[in-house]
Amino acid sequence: MSEIKINLPDGSSMEVPQSFTVADLANKISEGLGRVAVAAKINENIVDLNTILKNDDNVKILTSKDAETLDILRHSTAHVMAQAVQRIYPNAKIAIGPTIENGFYYDFDIPDTSLSVDELSKIEEQMNIIIKENQTFERHEITNVQEKITEFREKGEIYKIELLMEYASQNPTLYLGKNKDGNIVWNDFCRGPHIPNTKFIKAFKLLSVAGAYWRGDEKNKMLQRIYATAFWTKDELNEYLTRIEEAEKRDHRKLGTQLDLFSIREEVGAGLVLWHPNLSVVRQMIEDYWRYEHRKRDYEIVYTPHIAKSQLWDISGHNEHFRENMFYMQVEEQDYVLKPMNCPFHILIYQAKRYSYRSLPLRMAELGTVYRNERSGALHGMTRVKGFTQDDAHIFCTQDQFVDEVNKIIDFIDDTLTMFDMTYEVELSTRPEGFAGTLEIWDKAEAGLKKALEDKKLSYVINEGDGAFYGPKIDFKLKDAIGRTWQGATIQLDFNLPIRFNLKYTEKDGSMQTPVMIHRVIFGTMERFIGILIEHYAGAFPAWLAPQQAVVIPIADRHTEFAQSIYKKLRDADLRVELDDRSESMNYKIREAQNRKIPYMLVIGDKEIEANYVAVRARLKGDIGVKNIDEFINSLKKEIETKGKEIVN
RNA sequence: GCCCAUGUAGCGCAGGGGUAGCGCAUUCCCUUGGUAAGGGAAAGGUCACGAGUUCAAAUCUCGUCAUGGGCUCCA
């Protein structure tokens, strides 16, 4: 019998018989490896253990130690979940069950049944039964597609039919679930690979149920999706679950109530935020910083109205393209619109004067409050709301200037986000179908944006054809505590609005030219940015942003007088400070200040009065000893000025 | 907008066909305490809103609004 040669990762090779499988190879290498082998990488493709080896294959046996196998485990667990669901609901039709970032899901169509969380434990129970059956996963090539389609049709598996028809020409495979006696107990049309046997599934949990449209299209039927996760060990699963719990504690909606930051009331309306005094302080500080940075970078700051006659939005095209998101009102037979964007107003300010190439670029910025009627299910805390304030700016420049301007904006965004220690992902969206402007300017713009990103050494993803019809854009995505990403900063070129409003400037040669317009935001919106900032700092704002920077805590009533003088000194130094002279124990006051995440607590007792000191407790480090009050004020002032972390020590 | 769940005092929660309870917070009294909760008392709710079933609804049913998890959308 002839043998074939297999190359192993360590550079050695091995002679094995023909029709040897990966599993055979693993066993041949060592019995131990055979036991723990999960899958293999053959010539960079990940395959099942029962794949037959070919001559000169480069083979790496994968075990649970290899990162690539976690998805295999999760996807295989999805199969077990689907099987369990079909055992409990025999009329359930299965759709797709891919892995996602931290787990997997499977979509079902279960006629006359709506799953609720209560069902999850039942399904988990059934899954455990299946796992105990030690079912094997066996790959099986579908040679007769038509026959299989007929079979699916008999079972009513309409979603699988649709998928199979699509993949008919791509060597479709079926995975068979076989029990100990070798009988086929379940099967699923699937690309694989899978773990060899259900016994590898040791730690999984079903997390939630949700609706999801078939193929993600809202015109299609809504299916029932179960989200779940799996890990190789119970410890890893538990660690993941605790991490989720910890993340939930940072949720800005939770902290918003706990720290008295904001509220949203039914009487006002969904998606309309009431900023409480505490969060208003944070916003004021950030807005001051924003204004300072804009002046420094030669922006003009403007104010514009919240409403405008409908006519303006005809010119801008919003009435046509954005209608379902706009609030309309009628007063004295005149139609008005609550502004969903600031750009038309900035354009009108541009129009109030004549510009030449000499006075461009013109950079116009506004903290502009806009209102958009979002679909009800889209709202989310402060990160997706109906009324919000954009830190908006529009830059009017010549075609020779916009690349340079984009560079400056990228710097501005990067500087700002770095200052807040925030990480982000960058996406570049390019020319879609039905674009405005010329091919030439699009090419120039896209190349310019790419160059700017590359010069800055920012890694980015390209969303081909995902740009707005009026121009390409760069989006900066921020992550929230639970791992959801939100669009923050964005830079959008616009070749359309300047034409609609017939904007002009005089070129060197005296000709009238149309300027390029750039829309950009740095924070995105104050609501979303500060919402994410709450989670980023877990509510413990650095001193320059903290609603209260220090609290003075007299131990007993006889210390109140001295505490008052300390309090007054801090106030005179323009610090945000409170005096807690309630008749409560010092421990009680410290606990409360700590829970309110106030950066510094100044404890005053007999010793401090005697020595004319304050005892400083930092929210992070605890008691850091006594200090002269002026010394404390100076170092806190410095900390605020440098926007630093806790540096008083 | 769609699917599922939820809505009880300022906050966090329990209860559940016979007109409501706990903890914290609040107010008052006592206590004056050295680095994360001192003790006591009082006050506080038409159980989201509207309709229906019932002798009786906070509890069951339907609708509306809102919130949560997702999907879709996001110029």
Side-chain angles (χ1 to χ4, degrees):
Chain A
M1 183 168 148
S2 62
E3 301 224 315
I4 57 172
K5 186 180 72 129
I6 298 302
N7 307 311
L8 297 173
D10 62 359
S12 68
S13 58
M14 198 177 253
E15 303 279 321
V16 302
Q18 281 196 353
S19 67
F20 219 49
T21 66
V22 176
D24 297 332
L25 176 69
N27 275 314
K28 187 178 160 100
I29 294 170
S30 82
E31 200 188 311
L33 184 61
R35 246 192 329 266
V36 296
V38 175
K41 200 190 252 180
I42 300 184
N43 310 328
E44 296 308 306
N45 294 319
I46 304 210
V47 299
D48 296 300
L49 280 190
N50 49 25
T51 306
I52 292 172
L53 296 164
K54 292 195 297 293
N55 192 35
D56 209 30
D57 272 346
N58 298 307
V59 182
K60 184 187 179 197
I61 307 284
L62 301 176
T63 70
S64 63
K65 299 270 183 295
D66 297 288
E68 298 97 318
T69 59
L70 188 55
D71 270 354
I72 300 177
L73 171 75
R74 285 175 176 167
H75 176 64
S76 305
T77 312
H79 275 255
V80 172
M81 182 167 84
Q83 193 181 344
V85 167
Q86 288 197 317
R87 277 193 187 174
I88 299 171
Y89 310 98
N91 62 346
K93 301 168 186 41
I94 54 178
I96 55 165
T99 56
I100 49 175
E101 196 179 347
N102 287 308
F104 61 89
Y105 65 80
Y106 215 114
D107 286 346
F108 305 93
D109 179 1
I110 316 176
D112 311 316
T113 304
S114 10
L115 293 177
S116 75
V117 243
D118 304 337
E119 268 79 52
L120 294 185
S121 54
K122 259 191 283 175
I123 298 168
E124 281 180 349
E125 231 170 84
Q126 189 57 243
M127 286 172 72
N128 280 319
I129 293 172
I130 292 168
I131 291 165
K132 281 214 189 80
E133 289 170 12
N134 275 343
Q135 289 188 20
T136 54
F137 287 90
E138 219 174 286
R139 183 189 164 92
H140 171 78
E141 282 184 24
I142 302 176
T143 43
N144 189 337
V145 171
Q146 208 45 55
E147 187 186 59
K148 194 66 212 170
I149 287 176
T150 312
E151 199 187 311
F152 277 147
R153 187 160 292 136
E154 277 162 16
K155 289 193 205 152
E157 292 286 5
I158 49 175
Y159 305 98
K160 289 294 169 189
I161 294 174
E162 194 175 322
L163 293 171
L164 179 54
M165 294 210 296
E166 255 176 58
Y167 287 98
S169 61
Q170 299 170 39
N171 302 322
T173 54
L174 200 67
Y175 272 81
L176 310 175
K178 288 191 178 173
N179 66 11
K180 272 177 267 188
D181 311 324
N183 297 319
I184 301 170
V185 290
W186 199 68
N187 73 72
D188 191 0
F189 166 59
C190 180
R191 184 191 309 141
H194 295 87
I195 52 175
N197 189 295
T198 53
K199 71 181 178 202
F200 284 89
I201 303 172
K202 296 193 173 88
F204 70 94
K205 183 161 179 60
L206 307 195
L207 299 170
S208 60
V209 287
Y213 298 107
W214 166 236
R215 314 214 100 179
D217 188 335
E218 66 179 324
K219 289 186 207 79
N220 289 338
K221 183 164 188 184
M222 179 151 282
L223 307 176
Q224 304 189 56
R225 175 174 296 178
I226 302 178
Y227 281 97
T229 193
F231 288 87
W232 286 113
T233 66
K234 285 214 164 67
D235 284 351
E236 287 167 306
L237 174 65
N238 289 334
E239 196 187 307
Y240 171 73
L241 296 175
T242 3
R243 206 166 60 226
I244 300 287
E245 272 172 44
E246 285 303 312
E248 278 166 5
K249 284 185 197 156
R250 309 181 145 233
D251 192 313
H252 73 279
R253 295 164 297 183
K254 206 163 252 179
L255 290 172
T257 326
Q258 269 168 26
L259 301 176
D260 192 14
L261 300 176
F262 72 94
S263 57
I264 296 171
R265 295 281 301 259
E266 264 193 78
E267 301 90 311
V268 181
L272 300 167
V273 179
L274 299 170
W275 293 69
H276 294 12
N278 284 338
L279 198 60
S280 298
V281 168
V282 176
R283 177 166 171 175
Q284 284 165 47
M285 295 305 128
I286 290 177
E287 289 185 354
D288 287 349
Y289 168 76
W290 184 91
R291 285 190 200 93
Y292 173 78
E293 287 294 319
H294 278 72
R295 273 183 244 117
K296 203 167 83 185
R297 295 169 199 257
D298 293 320
Y299 280 78
E300 318 279 348
I301 295 176
V302 299
Y303 295 92
T304 66
H306 289 73
I307 61 171
K309 287 202 274 192
S310 188
Q311 191 190 336
L312 177 66
W313 309 99
D314 282 333
I315 304 172
S316 69
H318 285 89
N319 275 340
E320 193 186 338
H321 296 288
F322 206 56
R323 183 161 208 99
E324 68 277 15
N325 285 297
M326 289 155 68
F327 291 100
Y328 289 86
M329 53 191 141
Q330 210 194 31
V331 182
E332 292 187 346
E333 294 179 32
Q334 190 64 250
D335 287 321
Y336 285 90
V337 176
L338 198 43
K339 70 172 169 182
M341 291 187 201
N342 303 299
C343 20
F345 297 92
H346 294 183
I347 288 173
L348 295 184
I349 294 176
Y350 178 94
Q351 282 183 334
K353 243 170 49 173
R354 288 280 163 181
Y355 289 92
S356 83
Y357 73 97
R358 286 169 173 280
S359 44
L360 298 184
L362 172 68
R363 307 185 187 90
M364 209 184 295
E366 175 180 11
L367 289 165
T369 304
V370 300
Y371 293 87
R372 298 183 189 171
N373 189 23
E374 301 290 341
R375 295 223 250 169
S376 59
L379 299 175
H380 182 92
M382 295 187 83
T383 53
R384 187 82 184 263
V385 288
K386 284 185 179 172
F388 50 92
T389 301
Q390 296 181 301
D391 65 320
D392 210 355
H394 295 94
I395 294 157
F396 302 89
C397 61
T398 72
Q399 293 205 7
D400 294 331
Q401 289 169 335
F402 74 75
V403 173
D404 194 38
E405 285 303 307
V406 169
N407 268 299
K408 284 184 178 152
I409 299 168
I410 292 177
D411 280 344
F412 195 172
I413 293 169
D414 187 57
D415 288 353
T416 307
L417 297 179
T418 305
M419 204 276 285
F420 286 99
D421 298 316
M422 290 179 117
T423 54
Y424 55 88
E425 289 162 15
V426 184
E427 292 177 12
L428 171 67
S429 299
T430 60
R431 193 179 63 240
E433 309 273 329
F435 56 93
T438 62
L439 253 180
E440 190 195 357
I441 197 167
W442 272 88
D443 287 344
K444 183 177 171 186
E446 287 176 8
L449 294 183
K450 274 184 198 164
K451 184 165 185 309
L453 288 170
E454 273 147 28
D455 287 349
K456 253 273 151 188
K457 293 192 168 49
L458 293 175
S459 60
Y460 61 97
V461 190
I462 295 182
N463 292 331
E464 213 68 65
D466 216 28
F469 77 91
Y470 52 74
K473 59 174 183 172
I474 299 176
D475 292 326
F476 293 72
K477 308 272 179 182
L478 305 173
K479 258 193 187 170
D480 73 8
I482 315 170
R484 290 180 279 221
T485 59
W486 298 92
Q487 181 169 312
T490 177
I491 307 171
Q492 307 188 357
L493 297 183
D494 191 334
F495 310 130
N496 181 248
L497 278 182
I499 294 170
R500 276 185 170 268
F501 280 89
N502 195 28
L503 298 186
K504 294 290 180 210
Y505 70 95
T506 312
E507 250 310 340
K508 253 182 218 168
D509 60 5
S511 65
M512 298 301 273
Q513 299 291 333
T514 306
V516 173
M517 187 175 167
I518 306 172
H519 308 253
R520 57 104 275 209
V521 286
I522 307 284
F523 299 133
T525 71
M526 300 314 286
E527 284 73 8
R528 178 175 289 179
F529 186 78
I530 292 177
I532 291 174
L533 207 57
I534 293 169
E535 305 193 346
H536 180 62
Y537 291 126
F541 292 103
W544 77 281
L545 293 174
Q548 297 81 24
Q549 295 165 321
V551 54
V552 182
I553 301 177
I555 294 175
D557 285 349
R558 66 177 179 282
H559 309 127
T560 304
E561 199 181 328
F562 184 78
Q564 249 159 3
S565 72
I566 296 291
Y567 165 74
K568 198 166 175 309
K569 269 199 166 166
L570 292 160
R571 291 213 36 147
D572 289 347
D574 196 27
L575 293 165
R576 296 188 290 273
V577 60
E578 278 181 17
L579 173 64
D580 189 351
D581 57 0
R582 293 175 300 173
S583 171
E584 296 289 353
S585 68
M586 179 201 63
N587 278 334
Y588 182 91
K589 294 177 190 177
I590 286 177
R591 179 181 152 83
E592 190 179 272
Q594 199 74 45
N595 286 337
R596 289 171 64 198
K597 303 178 194 283
I598 298 173
Y600 296 103
M601 288 149 253
L602 306 177
V603 179
I604 311 284
D606 292 333
K607 285 183 268 175
E608 285 71 26
I609 295 175
E610 174 117 4
N612 195 21
Y613 274 140
V614 291
V616 183
R617 179 188 166 96
R619 93 187 135 185
L620 284 183
K621 295 182 191 157
D623 190 351
I624 55 173
V626 293
K627 267 188 178 307
N628 173 284
I629 184 63
D630 294 321
E631 202 185 316
F632 172 77
I633 289 174
N634 283 338
S635 50
L636 179 52
K637 290 287 261 188
K638 184 172 262 176
E639 176 181 333
I640 291 163
E641 213 174 289
T642 57
K643 301 183 170 54
K645 315 272 179 305
E646 262 118 302
I647 57 171
V648 177
N649 52 41

